[in-house]
Amino acid sequence: MLSLKQISKYYQAGGSKTYVLNRIDLDVDKGEFISIMGPSGSGKSTLLNIIGMLDEPSEGYHYLLGEAVHQLKEKQRSALYKQNIGFVFQAYHLIDELTVYENIETPLIYQNVKSSERKALVADILDRFNIVGKKDLFPSQLSGGQQQLVGVARALIGKPKLLLADEPTGNLNSKQGEEIMELFSKLNKEDGVTIIQVTHSEKNAQYGSRIIELLDGKIASSTLI
Amino acid sequence: MLKNYIKTAWRNLWKGRIFNAMNVVGLSVAIACCTLLFLTVHYEFSYDRFHTNLKDIYQVYSVSHRPQGDDASTSMPVPFLPALKAEYPEVKYVSRSANSGVVVRYANKELDLDAHYVDEDFLKMFTFPLAKGNSSNVLSGLNNVVLTEEAAKSIFGNQEPIGKTILLKIEDKPASFMVTGVAKSIPSNSGILFDMLIRFENNSIYKDNINQWDNWTHLVFVQMKEDFDPSTFTRRMQPFTKKHFTRSIEALKSDGAKPDADGNVFSLHLAPFANNHFSVNMGGTEGSPVSKIYVISLLIVGCFILIIACINFINLSIARAFTRSREVGVRKTLGAGKWQLLTQFWIETVMVCLGATMLGVLLAGLTMPTFKAIFRSHITIGMLLQPAQLSGCIMLFALITVIAGFYPALIMIRYKTVSVLKGNMVAAKPGKLRNSLLVVQFSLSTLLTICTIITWQQIHYLQSKPLGYNKMEVLSIPTGYNEVGSNVLQIMRNKLGNDPAVLSVSGAYNNMGRGTDGSMRTSIQGFNYKGHEIRTHIERVDYDYLQTMDIKLLEGRDFSRTYSGDTTAIVINEAMAAKLGGKNLVGSFLPMNDDKKPAQIIGIVKNYNFRSLHEEIEPLTLTMNPEYSINYVYVKVKPASLVQTFDRIQKSWHAEFTNTEFRGSWLNENTERQYQGEKRLSGIFVSGAIIAIIISCIGLLAISIMIVMQRNKEIGIRKVLGASVTRIVFMLSGDFVKLVLLAAFIAFPVAWWLMDRWLQGFAYRIHLQWWVFAAAALLAMLVAFITISFQAIKAAVANPVKSLRSE
């Protein structure tokens, strides 16, 4: 479903190029749950952002669901993104001014889903995540774990085929982290959502089906579990 | 979708309420100002627009090409109109126009009303619809009179006015008139104002001057046929002028007149009546014209304030955008499109603008009474609801929201999603634009400040300049229409003669300055003297005039009761003496009037400013010629008890003249009234400058908050490295103070040019001084520095550990 060919990302610093990613080749099949690991500065987040089209590679070829992303126009890319990708962040990135309900609803608004349909979908996911009672609270009134739960719910509301998570448990305690990882694992197995997560934690990486080790912008190893 | 936008917009606005409150305050003050100013401007431009034939109506004026320059005059001789009508076929309607006060008597009632002497065409030409009567024939009879609704009501009460006979006392001769028409109330934005219309033939000047081509007494309006080209008028009138104005042309030629391009020393022209309200330099128009400079200043000050407020809005929104960058990033990852984000931010802008507009209009409504009083404006808040104004407002509103809303939104959208989400504030440079906007703001503020100081200086100069006569202790009392002026003077002399506080009493034809009656007369006479035409202002005075006014006599003597022939004698001023030339003028004779005895010069007085300080002192001749009426009684009182004496004089006036209001005023009040226009202008500049500076400072405050936020970490590091609070404050303020200084330098030449032009309008004026400019710049810098220091000090004294950790 996803294929990266010779993807590089570099910054021009003075006369020389500083590579963040250096000729990465990566193929991801539907239904995989991949954990990207590596030390700080190895390019994990950049790789994830490029996969998620938040960032553009300096060179290389990027295919998603059969589309050549590197050739798409802004509008088509945005459409592709909206329909297929959900993002979960370490810092949750909920919108402070919106309630739990509204936060989850927002992606649907941007997809021009009708109001009645939105209501049903949001009610459904609130129910599934057991946060119906919290729907009118603002993010600042929730614990970190709850906020991340909302973050995941928001990422999933558009029924994405690919869920990208950048250290989703980084700001959580171990119990909260476990819950989120259990949820990911369940989503992967039961709903068939393809997941790519960046993590520092060896333990969290074990939830996945494959671990990719990055070092200095290159894939050092790719291990199936 | 929209509901969602509005909801989030509201929450966002509430979250940034301090910023947004500043924004709303600044904008609403600006909107209030602009509402008042633009309505006033619109009103001034609406003058006389209600005449349906406006584009074809002209006022006739003549230009004499005198050696010292062109001299335009709107006064026309009595036979001009019949001749024009007979010889110039393109004329559709014509009417002479003169006005004076008349006393109306009807069934024991006596009223002072303002009469317009016009010709029959007047009502066909001008759109003054009649409530009663037929405009084609109401003035067909010589003794017909048309009243306005108000005048009819005050004369007849609720009785039917049509067909009633009233007695009009015109120049002391009563005559019967029949009411044939009632005109609807005249709109307040009409240049022509009257209580009644009567035929021009009733005017006392008519019979004496029926064949006099060189006695200029009244205004002439013409309505031309539709396909008429006004540019050909002057040329086509050349034969007409040569035929009828022979004497005037000869007089001009003998005086060495400079012919114009067509070789004429005297020519007739047309001034469009549409421009009537702004023709201040025509010398004689209907109504009280307003200088276009004044109206345009209003417009410009309004625009300045609006621009400054818009710049503020943009800067404040950009500042807010920094705190919103994360939200934009998140929304983008949730799939928000560019236009969706733009719309969201635009809606927020619209909401702020809407709030500001409502508040602004409310503020305008609250301040309107004061504004109207200060600027003599006739506006009402209801005028906003007229279609033209309403659509104007909506367009302006849309423009502001688009300019002030879209730009910051665009900036926000351009943020790189990834870096924003990582928490890296984009320190990219909207700096250049922001700084340019800031410079514009402060240039305008400095410009207004300089204008304020200079107009204030000039007014102060006008008020404190010695005029050559006593303006502090002399009271001027208009004699009114009811009484014969010389009788009034005589009675007052007798009454006040015994009052120990009264030093002397005299009278004159013309007032000094502008009295409470608002009248101003100009009487200029020309005559031939040793082969030259001499033109002089004429002032009819009475005995003790020089003594009463404290005018200094240089040679000869004042008029005196001991010499019997003094009614034909004259006293001249220095300017006149210089004009006549030669020595030993006292005792010589001037051929002032062709048909009468020459007048003997008995004295020369020191020059004094008998006109406003806009004008140089011109030749003046004082005479006691009884053909001129006495219109003002002057009373000089002892300086010790001005108020009590005033009251006493008022009392004795009322005892004597029961029908005439006492409208006496001190001469210094009169002279100040001459500069009301300037005072209003200065008032506009003062309020404009203050508002501009306040709004600019609100913007600066917002920017300083933003800057401090951006440089928080830098400030922390500097503090850790040992920088003192003062150093940090100066570092933060320095950049802005430099910008303000730059702004001031941009404003200098503009201000200099503008004020220099303005001062050219005064014969007596101050010189532009460098320190005014320096002071304005210093003021702007000081205000800017104080504004920024608030934030800078706060940032500088904060604990650096905090700012460094938060990053």
Side-chain angles (χ1 to χ4, degrees), chain B residues 429-449:
Chain B
K429 294 198 174 170
K432 251 185 206 152
L433 179 95
R434 186 199 63 208
N435 288 350
S436 343
L437 291 178
L438 208 67
V439 168
V440 173
Q441 270 189 322
F442 274 90
S443 295
L444 298 180
S445 308
T446 315
L447 180 64
L448 287 173
T449 314

Side-chain angles (χ1 to χ4, degrees), chain B residues 43 103 150 175 184 192 218 259 338 369 452 504 594 614 688 713:
Chain B
Y43 180 80
V103 177
E150 291 82 3
K184 286 189 184 148
I192 302 175
H218 58 271
K338 203 162 150 188
T452 303
S504 68
D594 306 330
H614 287 281
K713 190 172 168 191

